[in-house]
Amino acid sequence: MDLLEPTPERYLPHRPTVVQPQRAAAPQGSGQEGALRVLVVENDPRAADALLKGLARQGFTARSVDTGAEALRAHHDADLLLLDLDLPDLDGLEVCRGIRAVSDTPIITVTARGSELDRVLGLQAGSDDYLVKPYGFRELLARMEAVMRRVRTQPTAARLISHGSLRIDAGARVATLDGDPVDLTRKEFDLLHLLASQPGTVIPRRQIMAQVWDDAWSPQGRTVDTHVSTLRSKLGSSEWITTVRGVGFRLGHP
């Protein structure tokens, strides 16, 4: 299969799909005992199905989701992501930045956006590689193997985040300020960790809703503002979290 074009199958409403090969043999270059787990983030159901079938024939375990919110929930169970940028709820660049803030899971952007600026933005957002549609399936496989080869040589990312007197241990889910623990709810910790993972970067409200509350569709209301206000109170200063009007929030410098 040289060009990844959808087959003329009946167009059906898309739902998360899992395709598994009969034998979970490790693909060449995967470096794992089982099949490499690939998450396809693709809004076009026919393109997703064609890609899933091609990956399954090569011995990969592949599943697909069609929204950014689903990708932010599901990436933890994947060894590699193939990420389209044109998604119905979140821009793919936001999804890429959100995943990269909390995970080193390799990401290959697979999109129709092919300008030089698009490529630069995709790589700056955290993609490990960038492939423009339409593309050759063998080229995709070669790029997947190259990305996984590079990943195996990289050290594991630190799970501790230090920002001034604030220290966040993602593994233990503990935040301390000047050495004293900060009593946070689960959502408060997730929100603080998201902001601290990208210091100086404005995190859009919709991305916060998708990544912390698993919901990019519902009206945002006051949910985020209420949690930000509580966090500021618990951290002892409103300057810890800066509001960027009309956009979102970023971690500040008290």
Side-chain angles (χ1 to χ4, degrees), residues 54-231:
L55 292 171
R57 283 195 293 269
Q58 296 298 319
F60 296 95
T61 296
R63 63 178 297 231
S64 72
V65 297
D66 57 7
T67 68
E70 289 178 296
L72 290 171
R73 290 194 297 267
H75 73 88
H76 301 286
D77 297 323
D79 301 311
L80 173 70
L81 270 73
L82 301 179
L83 174 65
D84 190 9
L85 297 182
D86 297 313
L87 301 172
D89 56 340
L90 298 171
D91 185 85
L93 294 177
E94 293 181 17
V95 176
C96 187
R97 283 190 287 265
I99 294 173
R100 186 56 68 234
V102 298
S103 171
D104 288 329
T105 303
I107 300 172
I108 299 178
T109 294
V110 181
T111 179
R113 302 182 193 177
S115 71
E116 180 182 4
L117 177 59
D118 287 324
R119 295 171 189 265
V120 170
L121 291 175
L123 294 171
Q124 288 180 339
S127 292
D128 296 278
D129 202 349
Y130 196 101
L131 191 58
V132 178
K133 300 176 181 179
Y135 54 87
F137 187 65
R138 285 173 292 184
E139 179 184 0
L140 173 64
L141 294 176
R143 288 176 180 269
M144 290 169 61
E145 183 175 350
V147 166
M148 295 308 298
R149 185 167 59 246
R150 292 197 300 269
V151 167
R152 289 197 299 272
T153 65
Q154 296 175 357
T156 302
R159 306 196 67 182
L160 296 176
I161 299 175
S162 294
H163 187 79
S165 57
L166 179 65
R167 182 180 176 89
I168 299 173
D169 186 334
R173 294 185 63 83
V174 172
T176 59
L177 187 63
D178 293 321
D180 297 322
V182 183
D183 184 18
L184 301 176
T185 67
R186 183 169 64 89
K187 294 300 185 185
E188 289 166 358
F189 180 88
D190 291 342
L191 174 56
L192 181 61
H193 180 256
L194 174 60
L195 295 172
S197 298
Q198 304 179 64
T201 300
V202 180
I203 310 297
R205 288 173 176 270
R206 180 169 291 183
Q207 181 182 340
I208 293 173
M209 287 296 297
Q211 199 154 349
V212 177
W213 279 272
D214 295 334
D215 185 359
W217 298 101
S218 300
Q220 296 169 14
R222 300 287 299 174
T223 300
V224 178
D225 299 270
T226 299
H227 281 74
V228 167
S229 177
T230 303
L231 270 178

Side-chain angles (χ1 to χ4, degrees), residues 24-35:
Q28 182 177 0
S30 70
Q32 302 182 34
E33 294 180 1

